[in-house]
């Protein structure tokens, strides 16, 4: 599977391709991060693979390196975006999967939320 596979009807594929503007947080060949349009917290960004993976339900061993690199980016990006240092600060990392998991956009994304409380949600 190529890292360049896109779904022409997918909102987050279009955001990663910059066909739809977003507040870009980070980009490399395989990964894109951008501010959530409806933030729950002072810091709220989404980390996505550029390749179209609909959700965690489609993740397999072939994605281990990609997801590992994404997870390894989270601490760096969270601090850069204004999350306070662990342990007094920190952040929430979550991914919704499927309808019962509360997933609204069908392109794998990790929410990173942080900053001083109270938050709008969560
Ligand atoms: P989900 O419920 O699928 O886990 O989260 C989807 C997230 O995408 C939501 O938090 C929502 O605010 C965000 N979102 C939806 N459409 C857009 C958009 O067009 N631009 C940006 N930046 N975020 C979006
Ligand atoms: Zn997509």
């Amino acid at each position: 599977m190529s890292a360049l596979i896109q779904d022409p009807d997918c909102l987050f594929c279009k955001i990663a391709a910059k066909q739809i503007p977003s507040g870009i947080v980070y980009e490399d060949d395989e990964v894109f991060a951008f501010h959530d349009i409806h933030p729950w917290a002072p810091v709220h960004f989404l980390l996505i693979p550029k390749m179209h993976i609909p959700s965690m339900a489609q993740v397999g061993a072939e994605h281990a390196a990609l997801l590992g690199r994404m997870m390894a980016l989270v601490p760096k990006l969270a601090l850069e975006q204004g999350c306070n240092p662990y342990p007094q600060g920190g952040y929430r990392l979550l991914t919704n999967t499927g309808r019962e998991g509360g997933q609204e956009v069908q392109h794998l994304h990790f929410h990173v939320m942080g900053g001083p409380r109270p938050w709008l949600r969560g």
Side-chain angles (χ1 to χ4, degrees), residues 3-85:
L4 298 176
I5 288 177
Q6 309 273 291
D7 177 340
D9 298 322
C10 171
L11 174 64
F12 284 0
C13 281
K14 290 178 186 166
I15 286 177
K18 300 180 191 162
Q19 292 163 5
I20 292 176
S22 67
I24 300 175
V25 164
Y26 175 83
E27 179 177 18
D28 66 30
D29 287 350
E30 294 186 309
V31 177
F32 196 81
F34 57 101
H35 294 289
D36 196 291
I37 204 165
H38 296 304
W40 294 12
V43 177
H44 186 173
F45 64 88
L46 304 174
L47 184 63
I48 68 172
K50 285 188 172 177
M51 72 180 296
H52 182 78
I53 303 171
S55 79
M56 280 301 294
Q58 289 74 33
V59 165
E62 68 274 27
H63 304 114
L66 172 62
L67 265 63
R69 291 202 300 100
M70 292 174 73
M71 291 300 97
L73 276 168
V74 169
K76 173 178 176 288
L77 297 182
L79 289 177
E80 283 177 5
Q81 290 303 310
C83 293
N84 292 310

